[in-house]
Amino acid sequence: MSLIDSRSSRLKAVTHGFFLSITTTIAEPAIILPLILHFFGASSLIIGLLSSLLKGGAIIVQLFAAFSAQSYTRVMPHLRFVFLARFLSWFGIGVGIYVFGTTNHAYVLWCIGIGLFIFSFAAGFGSIYFNEILGKVFSHRYRGRVFAQRQFAAGVGALISGVSAGVILEYTPAPYSFAYLFMFSAFAMLLGVIPYALIQEPIKENIAVKEPRFRTFLVNSFSLLRSDGQLKRQIRTYLLAYSHLFSLPFIILHAQSVLHLGGVQIGYLLTAQVVGGMLSNLLWGKLSSNGKVRLIIAVSFIAYISANTLALFADALWHYALLFFLLGAGMDGMRLAFSNNILIIAPEHLRPVYLALQSNITSIGLFFAIPGAVILESYGFSVLVGFTIMLLLGGMLSARRLAD
């Protein structure tokens, strides 16, 4: 039986997306994580830093992971260790909140920061291995449909998670509610990683020769980047797409100051974001299977710009619901388009290198919330959102040079 485009691998990839989404929605960096950090007395700068750490810790190890992975014929054994590290770090955050939440808020912030860093640091290796497997077991057009189905399933998982989080936050006193969110969701993560770890990975025949030193690998990698115009344009546009993170963690805090949100309202907004991502994947999957990558990116930029524009005028709950609906649609569109397109343009033997170059350079964008916090403190919310919109317009212009 062929290991390419098999129904079994598709179901395992989709199942993983469903349960991983249940896990990470608990600390959603646009809504829930900033509120948790605010409860423990974190400043805007700390909120921006720790919101970035949820995904940004991977920046340190992406290229080193690719340096090692380019000569592997199989990466699944290494990915299983990554899964274990992520489970332990996520569960550990919950334990830290439970133990120190009522006695020492500084310890809690350290526990959250260290846990998020390990969770994200492990993902630096995991994303290379994870995407290498997707590149092996799915063809290009089929992979686009798998990404859309996976993201739709992730939306369903996030919807369940968002409703559950809203109920727990409403009816369980803080900080114990925060601890339960992390600990329970860690076990949901296991239900997703176990099936994915059982995917039958083909042996890779066409592998690159590993350089004798990491420094040589870095020189060769950035020489490759300079010589490949298509890769440069893709990375530049993707980095500009991350501009929405300048304002993202602070929109919910602005909404909190305007509307004084409770647990039910927070769950409502999180659900709106999830539904936006989930429903948009019906469109993204169709466009992706037809090779319309550039159109997906353009519409996603429009969604980001519209959401930030609405943030300047929103003064009712439904305004913010629409705002987060648009953000959810834009996030899933960008994720699908750039994740699939890098696997298409990368030569097989250099796939880990292309993945690492895109992930490593664009991961700078995951820290945009930190200068965003500085702009917020210095000039106010309106200036921050206006600055974000200008950068997103620049990204939309850059996307016009991408090829479908």
Side-chain angles (χ1 to χ4, degrees):
M1 183 181 69
S2 174
L3 299 180
I4 306 300
D5 293 345
S6 74
R7 183 173 180 270
S8 173
S9 295
R10 174 171 57 87
L11 289 174
K12 290 169 182 174
V14 171
T15 299
H16 176 261
F18 173 77
F19 284 107
L20 182 63
S21 179
I22 288 178
T23 301
T24 55
T25 300
I26 293 301
E28 212 292 315
I31 298 176
I32 294 184
L33 184 59
L35 295 175
I36 293 175
L37 296 173
H38 182 71
F39 175 86
F40 291 113
S43 66
S44 296
L45 187 61
I46 295 298
I47 291 172
L49 175 63
L50 295 185
S51 296
S52 301
L53 270 181
L54 181 58
K55 296 181 179 178
I59 189 173
I60 299 172
V61 295
Q62 288 273 324
L63 282 168
F64 184 77
F67 169 62
S68 302
Q70 63 179 329
S71 60
Y72 293 160
T73 57
R74 295 180 71 248
V75 298
M76 183 62 83
H78 307 278
L79 182 59
R80 289 168 183 156
F81 282 108
V82 169
F83 285 157
L84 177 62
R86 281 165 67 84
F87 166 77
L88 293 175
S89 60
W90 197 259
F91 186 78
I93 292 174
V95 173
I97 294 174
Y98 188 87
V99 173
F100 300 114
T102 58
T103 58
N104 195 314
H105 287 187
Y107 283 0
V108 172
L109 292 176
W110 275 106
C111 288
I112 294 174
I114 293 170
L116 291 179
F117 179 78
I118 295 173
F119 185 81
S120 184
F121 186 90
F125 289 91
S127 63
I128 298 297
Y129 306 148
F130 178 86
N131 285 291
E132 173 70 7
I133 290 171
L134 293 182
K136 284 182 174 182
V137 301
F138 300 123
S139 59
H140 296 327
R141 293 293 176 91
Y142 190 84
R143 190 189 309 116
R145 293 199 299 271
V146 172
F147 273 133
Q149 292 171 7
R150 174 182 163 84
Q151 290 187 173
F152 185 88
V156 175
L159 187 60
I160 295 170
S161 182
V163 172
S164 302
V167 171
I168 292 173
L169 291 172
E170 183 72 17
Y171 296 106
T172 305
Y176 296 110
S177 56
F178 305 145
Y180 296 151
L181 289 178
F182 278 97
M183 289 191 284
F184 293 159
S185 63
F187 287 100
M189 187 195 310
L190 283 182
L191 296 178
V193 300
I194 290 173
Y196 196 89
L198 297 177
I199 286 179
Q200 291 183 274
E201 179 191 5
I203 300 296
K204 186 176 181 179
E205 304 289 346
N206 186 14
I207 60 174
V209 177
K210 184 177 179 180
E211 291 88 345
R213 292 188 300 275
F214 181 56
R215 184 172 61 182
T216 305
F217 168 79
L218 289 177
V219 171
N220 292 342
S221 297
F222 284 99
S223 294
L224 174 64
L225 176 62
R226 286 193 297 269
S227 66
D228 192 328
Q230 191 176 27
L231 178 61
K232 282 192 292 188
R233 286 190 294 272
Q234 164 136 332
I235 290 176
R236 180 172 59 247
T237 306
Y238 199 11
L239 184 58
L240 286 168
Y242 275 108
S243 298
H244 76 284
L245 294 179
F246 274 96
S247 62
L248 181 64
F250 310 108
I251 290 175
I252 187 63
L253 298 181
H254 186 71
Q256 177 74 291
S257 68
V258 172
L259 301 177
H260 307 291
L261 303 171
V264 172
Q265 290 76 26
I266 293 168
Y268 177 60
L269 295 180
L270 183 56
T271 300
Q273 179 177 320
V274 169
V275 171
M278 187 171 65
L279 295 182
S280 69
N281 279 290
L282 301 176
L283 174 62
W284 305 147
K286 183 175 180 59
L287 293 177
S288 181
S289 64
N290 292 325
K292 301 295 184 181
V293 174
R294 189 170 59 189
L295 181 57
I296 295 173
I297 295 171
V299 174
S300 298
F301 268 117
I302 291 172
Y304 280 161
I305 293 168
S306 300
N308 276 273
T309 302
L310 184 56
L312 294 172
F313 308 102
D315 59 4
L317 187 62
W318 76 267
H319 293 161
Y320 285 101
L322 176 58
L323 184 159
F324 283 107
F325 180 93
L326 292 170
L327 285 174
M331 289 174 188
D332 272 24
M334 294 296 189
R335 188 183 304 117
L336 184 149
F338 286 104
S339 296
N340 193 30
N341 208 45
I342 192 66
L343 293 173
I344 293 172
I345 67 176
E348 181 185 10
H349 67 292
L350 293 175
R351 191 158 49 210
V353 181
Y354 273 64
L355 286 167
L357 284 170
Q358 174 170 286
S359 297
N360 208 75
I361 295 172
T362 59
S363 287
I364 296 170
L366 296 172
F367 295 93
F368 282 165
I370 300 173
V374 175
I375 295 172
L376 177 66
E377 293 290 338
S378 302
Y379 303 104
F381 184 73
S382 297
V383 172
L384 171 61
V385 172
F387 177 74
T388 302
I389 291 172
M390 289 179 58
L391 291 177
L392 290 170
L393 287 170
M396 194 171 177
L397 291 175
S398 178
R400 297 178 61 185
R401 299 191 61 198
L402 296 176
D404 279 325

